[in-house]
Amino acid sequence: MEDQKQCTVVRTGQYEGIQGGLFGAGISAQSAGATGLCLHRLVMPAGTRGRPHLHEGHESAVFIQSGRVDVWHGEGLAEHVVLHAGDYLYIPADTPHMPVNNGTEDMVCLVARTDPDEQEGVRLLDLPAWLEAQVSPLPVGAG
């Protein structure tokens, strides 16, 4: 008889990502045995930012549930977009990016990646000097 796969319910816990932000631990290889995706809820408090990073070999998709967030992305983080509640963002594999919450309320989003491991494919990058003066002084969790 073929091995029957089962659905898995995950009661969210929390962890701080190495790239910054407080993640609600959702679906991953670690929590549910996922083999091709990862889905988490991210809360980024007002006045904070993530660290510049990329996800090696894996795509990401983001849905903004509430708040707003500036995302610097691309080579040298030279590109900029502002996302609002209801917006989606696709991030190709290996694309540098950094979220910044300059708003007055927490930003809450859902983040999906093709990497089933919660933090394995995250590679931190240096913050370009030209951008340092324009963004919040400390990443989430750096203080």
Side-chain angles (χ1 to χ4, degrees):
M1 181 174 214
E2 195 172 312
D3 191 22
Q4 196 76 349
K5 301 231 182 222
Q6 297 293 315
C7 294
T8 301
V9 174
V10 175
R11 307 283 185 216
T12 193
Q14 291 185 336
Y15 72 94
E16 187 168 319
I18 62 174
Q19 69 271 42
L22 185 61
F23 288 83
I27 304 301
S28 67
Q30 291 78 10
S31 68
T35 60
L37 64 86
C38 185
L39 176 66
H40 297 291
R41 183 173 182 260
L42 167 65
V43 176
M44 179 170 282
T48 64
R49 67 171 172 84
R51 292 174 175 89
H53 67 284
L54 58 79
H55 301 274
E56 292 181 314
H58 293 282
E59 299 172 301
S60 299
V62 181
F63 173 71
I64 308 301
Q65 289 183 295
S66 62
R68 67 177 291 281
V69 65
D70 291 68
V71 179
W72 296 90
H73 61 94
E75 189 65 36
L77 300 178
E79 303 295 323
H80 176 247
V81 65
V82 179
L83 303 172
H84 302 274
D87 289 343
Y88 291 86
L89 176 66
Y90 167 69
I91 304 170
D94 304 305
T95 300
H97 55 285
M98 178 183 70
V100 179
N101 184 350
N102 287 322
T104 58
E105 64 180 271
D106 292 353
M107 185 279 300
V108 179
C109 66
L110 293 177
V111 180
R113 289 191 305 274
T114 56
D115 183 357
D117 292 311
E118 293 177 2
Q119 296 281 283
E120 294 272 327
V122 176
R123 191 177 91 205
L124 296 179
L125 305 169
D126 292 329
L127 179 63
W130 70 267
L131 185 54
E132 197 166 357
Q134 296 183 45
V135 298
S136 302
L138 288 177
V140 175

